[in-house]
Amino acid sequence: MGLRERVKNVLLKGYEYRLTRWLDGRQRPRHVGVVLDGNRRWAKEAGFTDVAHGHRAGARKILELLSWCREAEVEVVTLWMLSTDNLDRPADELVPLLDIIADIVDELAEPGNPWRIRHVGALDLLPTETAARLSAASLRTRSRTGLEVNVAVGYGGRQEIADAVRKLLLEHAESGGTIEELAEVLDVDHIAEHLYTSGQPDPDLLIRTSGEQRLSGFMLWQSAHSEFWFCEAYWPEFRRTDFLRALRDYALRHRRFGS
């Protein structure tokens, strides 16, 4: 490492320290959602012909993010790792990506780690082996008391709402109720109770990397009152400094919840 890089790192550490001190005692998000975007573009700009290198780099970044969230006393993190639209990618990219995702989730579920894994998404849309690995990881960690990590794989916001309504209708039918009876009492809470994230607080802060300033359907229902933060860096380049800046901006916002 050259002198310029060493000086840059020292200055960055000092900046992170000041941000951390400033955040002390200020409002923090309980639930942070992250759109892990830009892995493929990062790989291509780095000169890799195989974009799987970008996905692997992005997977390694997840471990860093969770440690930062733990330091910040975040309770729930939702990681959008694969959308329902991504399932249409060519097999030569999708198959390695699914393996990389399953590998990092297995790593999070290893003994000694504090994370509680929860899959959010449509398992029936995933290959059988991938679905089995994600479900097994969730089962292995269900007794843990640490940070809850939602792995959004095969996830789409519209799909989630459709699945929630379907589950609600089936549950009502099994109890012997009619559609007319359900229509008379149906409210937003009934649907919320059947979402993938049922029982969890809605996300306070949603982060998207890579410079794209849209949610693309991420947590459509839950994000009604979320604060959004967009970052230019590709996901593999996302730094602790960026995360602390997101927390700082969140702390400065006055959340009125429509009032």
Side-chain angles (χ1 to χ4, degrees):
M1 181 184 298
L3 177 60
R4 180 178 295 181
E5 286 300 314
R6 291 199 297 270
V7 171
K8 183 179 178 180
N9 285 341
V10 170
L11 293 175
L12 194 61
K13 289 295 182 184
Y15 180 51
E16 289 178 355
Y17 175 76
R18 293 194 299 275
L19 283 173
T20 302
R21 289 289 301 272
W22 186 89
L23 286 166
D24 188 38
R26 300 182 187 269
Q27 71 171 350
R28 303 285 185 93
R30 293 179 62 197
H31 184 170
V32 175
V34 187
V35 182
L36 315 178
D37 196 21
N39 291 333
R40 294 194 296 176
R41 280 170 283 170
W42 177 86
K44 291 175 181 177
E45 291 185 16
F48 294 108
T49 56
D50 184 357
V51 296
H53 288 287
H55 296 311
R56 292 190 188 96
R60 290 192 296 271
K61 183 61 65 173
I62 288 172
L63 298 171
E64 295 181 56
L65 173 70
L66 294 183
S67 68
W68 304 334
C69 288
R70 192 179 183 187
E71 291 171 2
E73 299 181 346
V74 173
E75 299 172 20
V76 183
V77 178
T78 299
L79 307 170
W80 198 8
M81 304 172 76
L82 187 79
S83 72
T84 49
D85 292 337
N86 295 154
L87 293 171
D88 293 328
R89 289 181 179 178
D92 60 350
E93 180 186 350
L94 181 59
V95 172
L97 175 55
L98 288 170
D99 286 340
I100 291 167
I101 289 172
D103 286 345
I104 189 61
V105 172
D106 280 339
E107 186 172 348
L108 295 177
E110 286 180 354
N113 287 333
W115 326 120
R116 286 179 291 161
I117 308 300
R118 179 172 179 173
H119 174 259
V120 294
L123 279 175
D124 59 310
L125 298 181
L126 299 176
T128 303
E129 181 181 353
T130 303
R133 291 179 67 181
L134 296 178
S135 296
S138 179
L139 287 173
R140 291 199 302 275
T141 63
R142 62 182 175 181
S143 62
R144 295 179 184 174
T145 57
L147 175 68
E148 191 157 13
V149 181
N150 295 330
V151 290
V153 182
Y155 175 87
R158 290 176 176 176
Q159 182 72 44
E160 178 179 26
I161 295 170
D163 284 349
V165 172
R166 186 179 301 109
K167 286 164 59 178
L168 176 60
L169 290 173
L170 289 172
E171 184 180 280
H172 188 72
E174 289 171 359
S175 67
T178 66
I179 293 296
E180 290 76 14
E181 290 170 341
L182 178 59
E184 288 181 4
V185 299
L186 182 65
D187 61 23
V188 294
D189 289 336
H190 288 109
I191 295 176
E193 289 167 2
H194 292 81
L195 295 172
Y196 302 144
T197 57
S198 173
Q200 296 177 336
D202 288 340
D204 304 293
L205 174 64
L206 292 180
I207 298 171
R208 180 167 186 163
T209 58
S210 86
E212 303 292 349
Q213 297 193 21
R214 60 180 183 274
L215 293 184
S216 300
F218 184 47
M219 307 194 86
L220 275 176
W221 183 280
Q222 301 92 328
S223 64
H225 297 293
S226 300
E227 301 294 332
F228 302 155
W229 196 81
F230 301 105
C231 177
E232 291 293 327
Y234 296 139
W235 171 244
E237 297 173 333
F238 190 73
R239 306 166 300 174
R240 182 170 181 261
T241 303
D242 300 313
F243 179 68
L244 292 174
R245 284 172 172 165
L247 295 185
R248 178 195 60 191
D249 285 4
Y250 174 81
L252 288 170
R253 296 181 189 182
H254 178 52
R255 308 191 72 203
R256 295 183 291 273
F257 299 100
S259 62

